[in-house]
Amino acid sequence: MNPPLPKAPINWIAIFALIFLPIVAVIAIPLYAYHYDFSTAAWVSLLVLLGTSSLGITAGYHRLWAHKAYEASLPLKIILMLMGTFAVQNSILFWSSGHRTHHRHVDDIDKDPYSINRGFWYAHIGWMLRDYPAAEPEFRNAPDLLNDKLVMFQHKYYVPLVVAVHVAILGIVGWAVGDMWGVVLLGGLLRLILSHHVTFFINSLCHMWGKRPYTDENTARDNFWLAIATWGEGYHNYHHIFQYDYRNGVKWWQYDPTKWLIWSCSKLGLAKNLRRIPSFNIKKAELAMRFKYAEQDLAVYGHDMNADLNAMKQKVAQEYEAFTHTLNDWTKLKEQELHAKKAAVAEKIHNMDIKLKVDFQLVEQKLSFHRERLETLMRNIKKTTLAE
């Protein structure tokens, strides 16, 4: 059982933004809809402005400033700063510093600002409603941001910027579509609440619901449905092991509009040096987890009940050992490459890279075959157990 939370003063600003405003929305939006109805343009403004503020957080606050996953030109930085300000999730400095602390101390109930081990409510919103020590910003982990003039400008003038951005965006959109109050209520109030919880789902549900294909050393999960709701941030298990990749959805079919936005900006000359984790490292993590899950399955269903199971367990162990030897060979050659730029070494590394690609395919094929056999054997064991 976790120790009780320390007593902390109430954060009244957070109470206003996260509790009072949703209550206002629950009352005001239905009343306005009943008496006046909302225009189609007001509903469109909700969707467009929700995307604007959310991408300001995912592409700006998160992947650009918190993780330095790519470099952005000054015009793009200014745009992302304004988009993130529109989301009203505190300054870039405060947000990014807290997020770096989360990654460093993930799941630690005392040091992780929004540890899921304190429960869903705490990780989702509770950590902001009081001034808990774990949530205190440690700007020492963000010297790069402290030296960023744009970041510090936003931090210094954050409240005036929030007001100015909202007045400008909602005023212009409301005037343009001829439905000022509709835009304020949907594109302003409801959009703000939804964008908040889109981000909060990453801290809560993405540490509870989904799969862990890359690592089980923390609670982060990959979840396709949450990726849709969170503009690609739902592939959280990948993100926690490879946090400096500009992509969260690393597979070609994974929904990650934030990745697509960053990539598009790079093609327009607005972003550069997009950081990508080598596919070798990704496959290594995936295969290590698949071996681990195979071992766990065998441990649960084995119990020396079947000679085939024991033989399969030995086979999996042998293949993993061979795979490990291949990794070690590759690592040694890479170390040699760092110390000597000789043609012979380079040729060996090139040959090893080719060999690794072949080895990966063979190991994946064998592992898939054994997992299929394992599933068949487990089904047979269950049938036998039920029959008995």
Side-chain angles (χ1 to χ4, degrees):
M1 185 175 179
N2 293 330
L5 285 166
K7 290 185 178 180
I10 294 174
N11 185 334
W12 289 107
I13 295 177
I15 293 290
F16 174 81
L18 304 177
I19 303 297
F20 178 73
L21 287 183
I23 293 174
V24 171
V26 168
I27 297 171
I29 291 175
L31 281 176
Y32 186 89
Y34 178 78
H35 289 288
Y36 303 102
D37 202 4
F38 289 104
S39 65
T40 301
W43 286 107
V44 172
S45 77
L46 167 63
L47 298 177
V48 173
L49 296 180
L50 176 61
T52 299
S53 57
S54 296
L55 287 169
I57 296 297
T58 60
Y61 276 40
H62 189 206
R63 302 192 198 184
L64 175 61
W65 282 296
H67 291 298
K68 298 294 181 181
Y70 66 102
E71 295 178 18
S73 64
L74 182 59
L76 180 58
K77 282 185 176 181
I78 293 173
I79 292 171
L80 290 173
M81 181 271 287
L82 294 174
M83 290 167 62
T85 303
F86 192 49
V88 194
Q89 294 186 24
N90 218 314
S91 69
I92 295 167
L93 178 63
F94 190 99
W95 196 103
S96 299
S97 174
H99 190 72
R100 291 177 183 181
T101 301
H102 165 65
H103 272 269
R104 183 177 181 182
H105 300 293
V106 61
D107 298 333
D108 188 307
I109 60 172
D110 295 318
K111 297 180 179 180
D112 183 350
Y114 25 90
S115 173
I116 193 62
N117 290 324
R118 288 286 188 185
F120 171 83
W121 170 256
Y122 178 85
H124 190 74
I125 196 174
W127 67 277
M128 292 176 283
L129 301 181
R130 289 182 178 272
D131 294 325
Y132 293 111
E136 286 296 315
E138 294 185 24
F139 296 153
R140 291 175 299 176
N141 66 2
D144 55 319
L145 301 181
L146 291 171
N147 291 319
D148 188 313
K149 292 182 180 179
L150 181 64
V151 170
M152 295 311 297
F153 171 80
Q154 189 229 26
H155 185 71
K156 183 177 181 179
Y157 299 105
Y158 179 70
V159 174
L161 280 171
V162 168
V163 174
V165 167
H166 277 77
V167 170
I169 293 178
L170 298 180
I172 292 172
V173 174
W175 172 80
V177 303
D179 186 5
M180 183 64 72
W181 279 109
V183 169
V184 168
L185 288 174
L186 294 184
L189 183 58
L190 183 57
R191 181 271 318 167
L192 179 63
I193 295 166
L194 292 177
S195 69
H196 279 165
H197 289 280
V198 161
T199 299
F200 302 163
F201 279 142
I202 305 300
N203 303 333
S204 56
L205 286 182
C206 275
H207 282 267
M208 298 176 66
W209 177 30
K211 298 179 179 179
R212 291 192 279 187
Y214 301 99
T215 179
D216 61 354
E217 294 183 0
N218 58 67
T219 56
R221 262 77 169 173
D222 276 9
N223 189 299
F224 169 76
W225 300 108
L226 288 175
I228 293 177
T230 59
W231 305 89
E233 300 284 78
Y235 302 107
H236 209 48
N237 187 255
Y238 177 84
H239 175 62
H240 262 273
I241 190 173
F242 300 123
Q243 61 179 291
Y244 301 111
D245 198 321
Y246 87 96
R247 309 161 298 172
N248 273 13
V250 70
K251 310 291 187 184
W252 69 267
W253 49 266
Q254 290 178 325
Y255 180 81
D256 187 357
T258 303
K259 170 186 68 177
W260 301 331
L261 173 64
I262 296 169
W263 180 86
S264 298
C265 287
S266 72
K267 296 303 177 183
L268 295 173
L270 297 173
K272 63 180 181 179
N273 295 332
L274 278 57
R275 299 172 71 177
R276 298 166 61 99
I277 299 299
S279 59
F280 175 89
N281 297 42
I282 298 170
K283 283 186 174 291
K284 181 175 72 172
E286 284 184 295
L287 286 174
M289 281 304 298
R290 292 186 70 181
F291 278 120
K292 190 169 187 176
Y293 285 137
E295 286 287 327
Q296 291 173 354
D297 290 344
L298 288 167
V300 171
Y301 292 98
H303 303 299
D304 297 323
M305 293 176 62
N306 190 305
D308 286 341
L309 281 172
N310 288 326
M312 186 181 298
K313 188 170 184 177
Q314 293 176 3
K315 189 68 174 177
V316 169
Q318 290 171 1
E319 288 176 2
Y320 186 68
E321 184 179 1
F323 175 65
T324 302
H325 286 317
T326 304
L327 292 181
N328 291 337
D329 291 342
W330 182 86
T331 302
K332 289 177 182 177
L333 285 175
K334 284 296 183 183
E335 289 176 353
Q336 291 180 34
E337 183 184 34
L338 293 175
H339 295 92
K341 297 293 184 179
K342 296 180 180 179
V345 174
E347 184 178 355
K348 284 184 179 179
I349 292 172
H350 176 70
N351 293 335
M352 179 57 70
D353 285 339
I354 295 175
K355 180 179 182 297
L356 278 173
K357 291 179 181 179
V358 176
D359 285 350
F360 273 132
Q361 293 176 352
L362 291 175
V363 171
E364 286 180 319
Q365 290 172 3
K366 290 179 181 178
L367 192 57
S368 296
F369 170 73
H370 287 303
R371 286 191 67 84
E372 289 175 4
R373 284 193 62 204
L374 179 62
E375 290 172 1
T376 301
L377 286 169
M378 287 192 297
R379 283 196 296 269
N380 291 337
I381 290 172
K382 291 178 181 178
K383 288 180 181 178
T384 302
T385 304
L386 291 173
E388 293 176 352

